[in-house]
Amino acid sequence: MRIYISLSLLTALFVSNAQAQQRDTLRQDTATKQLKEVVITGTRTLKSLQQVPIPITRITSEEIKKKGLVRLNEVLSEQTGMTILDDPHGQGIQIQGFDPAYTLILIDGLPLIGRSTGILELSRITTNNIDRIEIVKGPTSSLYGSEAMAGVVNIITTEPAKGFTGGLAGRYGTNKTADLGVNSAYKTDKFYISGFVNRYSSGGYTLQPSSGVPTVSPFEGYTFNGKTAYKFDDNTSLKLSGRYYTNNQDSRFLVDANRYAAGKGTEKDFNIAPILTHRFSKKDVSVLQLYRSTYKTNSDIRYEDNGAVYDQTYFNQTFNRGEIQNDYAIADNIKLTAGAGGQYETVEATRYTKQQSFTSGYGYFQADWLPVKQLDIIAGGRYDVHSVYKSQFSPKLAASYALSPKLTILGSVGRGYKAPDFRQLYLNFTNAEVGYSVFGYEEAAAGIQRLQQEGQIETVLIDPSTLKRLNAESSTSFNFGYRYKPTDKLYWTTNVFRNNISNLIETAAIAIKTNGQSVFSYFNLNKVFTQGIETDLSYQLFKPLQVAGGFQYLEAYDQDVLDQIKAGKVFTKDPETNLTKVIKRSDYGGLLGRSKYTWNVRVNYLDEKTGINASVRAIYRGRYGYKDSDGNGIVNRDDEYTKGYVLVNASISKMFLKDAIRVQLTAQNLLNYKDSLVILNLPGRLVYAGLAYNFSK
């Protein structure tokens, strides 16, 4: 912690000295350029990217298209400080060492649902119809509430240009993977309507051909997006947006040595949002937003030899929200943002005894103050009340200071939280094959009582009636960094972060069954911290060639484990000598799935005369712990880590007919790296050919 205190003191001295030598104004040409790069996610209001006082990344659609990336997981995997995590239920994103469950995913500011196990599958989101992606790193619960404890990823879809526009884009390649999108729009001064359709399919793949089962089964998915808006007058407008996604997948499993099960699974996601905006004056604007989202999955898996049911499951979730936000500029340099809303959520699933529901309400407030042109201070907070867990208050304070037109420093402190989800509260599941059981907090007492009546309990380790009520997980986070742009050719950002996490929800055994298996439930147990530094630098060597690179150093530790190690209470056995030894802090590898070192290198060549664009990117992920071989509950031996690896992605494209047509060849994982035991989201080398056409009239 000393390094953070030292940095804060150094910053204070630095700012003080800079104020003494303060320039009268920032250069006008720099301000004009900054206006072209605005973001909205970090403050819910449009702000210059260079000025906004929190760590934020802005990725434009043109950057994505040049690299030939068409799914959200492909885009995020190449960003500095972000790591794709694999799970049997999908691919999620890790930010600042947090699991995917702690990052909120938005489309046009509206949350996506469907986290049946905490991970939201990123590959179900296409990027063919987006304008940009904004990524906020660090807690954003002061504006967005639960699930924004690590940050927010906001996918902002395209607003149509005036007239009639349209286009199509397609990609086909390895594993019979096809991605086809078609869009069209019509816009006048008062009205527009736009639509987008995407089809995404794959023949699947297997990393272990001898097993006879696919690692990823064949699937076929469709996305339908539509938006329309009408401007009643200069002050009032109404927008309606909708999205529908459906996916069908053929699955096959190995049940035992000689027996297989197979069947179909479906996934459906629908949301709709009407938004009314009214401008009372140039200084006073209100937005009323309604939102409904539904998410459904269903699978019917049967034994191949006799057709008997092996696994029949369903998961149905609904999310309803109403919200009003008002932005009021009380002066040219002070803007106030305030909002309030209510939510009603339900879930009904195979592993729940009945339909469960949450009701919640919230209010938030933010003040954006520029006391001088160089200094921007943002302070705010959000208060959430909930029908199940304790009320939460999430404050945040952030500031940025332009030491010069070229250098801006920024710092923030805030609180984030994640509410207990339906699974942690209401799960009622027994694994039929292995024999263990898992109960949510609300189901634990009834579950233990039922198993006792059935004669399945041998020993009760913790009386469920003594369990403390689950509270939301929370974190206090600190971020400090700078943005440096001395010339149009060079851009350099750095951020140092620290997250202190408390009330972490974990599973632990509460009883032992007569079959020797355990009964698990959920508790607020651990204290965890993550800390590190990330930096990203891009430089235009000469007009056609740009080079860039990023690096992250990450530490993620369980404080309880560190305390036990300090007390000499954690041991391991040497696999060669079979001797027991005390674990040292240097032996402890931290939380599972976290790489201490990650970096990337990007090279891009663009010849505007010929329309040729070529890009090569290398992404390194250092080794990380993935299992506990010696049974002491932590990572501390070399055989408990994966190997570090490098992925090389590349693309080349050429524009034709005044940039109306793009022909592209894309390759991912050129070095053909695979790890069939641990990393299931790396199928090896992938090669695609793509074609895109856009027009406007």
Side-chain angles (χ1 to χ4, degrees), residues 60-174:
T60 66
S61 61
E62 188 58 28
E63 293 176 61
I64 295 169
K65 290 173 182 176
K66 286 178 180 178
K67 296 176 181 178
L69 307 175
V70 298
R71 314 307 298 183
L72 182 60
N73 59 307
E74 297 173 3
V75 178
L76 298 185
S77 67
E78 296 192 359
Q79 304 307 309
T80 300
M82 306 187 76
T83 303
I84 295 291
L85 294 189
D86 185 53
D87 180 270
H89 299 271
Q91 296 180 43
I93 193 70
Q94 183 188 97
I95 297 179
Q96 292 190 355
F98 283 91
D99 279 335
Y102 301 88
T103 297
L104 185 63
I105 308 294
L106 308 173
I107 294 183
D108 289 329
L110 302 171
L112 285 178
I113 63 172
R115 298 173 182 264
S116 58
T117 64
I119 280 187
L120 192 147
E121 172 57 73
L122 300 176
S123 67
R124 86 186 204 210
I125 305 170
T126 178
T127 62
N128 276 330
N129 67 323
I130 71 167
D131 175 69
R132 64 189 186 274
I133 299 173
E134 296 179 0
I135 303 165
V136 178
K137 297 176 182 177
T140 322
S141 295
S142 60
L143 290 175
Y144 296 101
S146 181
E147 295 181 13
M149 193 161 144
V152 173
V153 176
N154 191 11
I155 301 100
I156 300 172
T157 58
T158 303
E159 292 289 322
K162 194 172 181 181
F164 181 55
T165 58
L168 59 87
R171 186 179 81 169
Y172 183 81
T174 307

Side-chain angles (χ1 to χ4, degrees), residues 31 43 151 197 265 276 293 334 350 373 407 410 470 522 547 607 696:
T43 60
V197 179
L276 179 66
S293 182
I334 303 177
T350 312
K373 192 171 184 180
L407 176 63
L410 53 149
L470 275 186
Y522 295 90
V547 295
D607 189 334
S696 60

